[in-house]
Amino acid sequence: MKLLAGNSNHTLAQAVANHLDLPLTKAQVKRFADNEVWVTIDENVRGEDVFVLQSTSYPANDHLMELLICIDALKRASARRITAVMPYFGYARQDRKTGGRTPISAKLVANLITRAGADRVLTMDLHSGQIQGFFDIPTDNLLAAPLMAQDIKENYEKPSELMIVSPDVGGVVRALAVASRLNADLAIVDKRRTGPGKSEVANIIGDVVGRRLIMFDDIADSAGTLCSAAKSLIDAGAVEVSAYVTHGVLSGAATERVKNSVLKELVITDSIEASEQVLGETKIRTVTCAPLVGEAIRRIANEESVSKLFD
């Protein structure tokens, strides 16, 4: 098999390659003067099982086009099977019509990837599970819960005495997966969204008084929701609040917002390449998902079960 990396996350791609003891495929992913994407595969891929690692993070449209053109180049170079490895699937939050005359962009992106020639998709912690049904090709959705639960065990004393918190009703299943692995209690923040990136806490379900809390979510973009939820939990009597988030988008003033919040720490994975601002913030810590992604790639290449990774 071969592993090809786009420009979205070279650090993760190299870590996955190291885990697999496999060199990255030689390729050029560049731009013309007018910013058109130009791709050349510099080694033979005929009959190969090729995995293209590319998160569609900021700038989302550029990285999406890179992925599509890489897939097309591999298809025309007679690769046997092409798997789009997208640790972070952009546009995932646009998975339904939220009002009249609005798109379902996640479905459109799924169509683009399929039409470009991908035979399979490998991603991690989709914003909603039904996005797997948007693809007409096999789709594996890796879960970060075991990764996060292991990190909590290693960095927190008496993890069973912690309380795991879902920052909204929609993330209960995700938070419950972590809580069950730690044998910890679960609380839920009843959040009402007032606009894109804006929300307010209406209620807290569960007794958080005197408890050490860990919020668990899939995406932190502006981090406003996360920080306001943490403040509400402290106001409700919690001793301390930390947060574990799979995809640290952290756009705009998010890093500054986390720094000035009541959060003890924010732990993210490297599904999105961290900016210098994120790397320089002591409150934000990164856990690598390279072994998880690498092992899933190995299992797919060897036609082994991926779901057994989470048993």
Side-chain angles (χ1 to χ4, degrees), residues 39 41 43-47 50 68-80 82 115-119:
V39 174
I41 312 297
E43 59 183 83
N44 182 29
V45 294
R46 184 178 295 273
V50 186
L68 298 175
I69 294 172
C70 284
I71 291 170
D72 186 71
L74 291 167
K75 196 76 176 175
R76 295 176 188 280
S78 301
R80 179 175 59 85
I82 303 166
R115 293 291 294 175
D119 299 294

Side-chain angles (χ1 to χ4, degrees), residues 9 43 59 63 80 82 99 110 129 132 153 165 175 184 195 223 252 273 277 280 291:
N9 200 334
E43 59 183 83
H63 288 153
R80 179 175 59 85
I82 303 166
Q132 295 174 80
K153 288 177 182 177
V165 180
E273 192 154 42
Q277 192 177 12

Side-chain angles (χ1 to χ4, degrees), residues 77-150:
S78 301
R80 179 175 59 85
R81 182 173 68 173
I82 303 166
T83 301
V85 182
M86 308 169 68
Y88 171 65
F89 180 78
Y91 287 97
R93 286 169 285 180
Q94 298 184 54
D95 59 347
R96 64 195 181 281
K97 286 178 70 70
T98 55
R101 298 167 298 281
T102 56
I104 304 178
S105 303
K107 171 59 176 169
L108 173 61
V109 172
N111 287 344
L112 289 170
I113 293 168
T114 304
R115 293 291 294 175
D119 299 294
R120 191 179 196 99
V121 169
L122 174 64
T123 186
M124 183 171 68
D125 268 0
L126 283 170
H127 186 61
S128 54
Q130 69 263 25
I131 294 175
Q132 295 174 80
F134 291 177
F135 290 93
D136 295 323
I137 53 178
T139 305
D140 292 300
N141 182 31
L142 302 178
L143 305 176
L147 193 70
M148 300 302 202
Q150 184 59 39

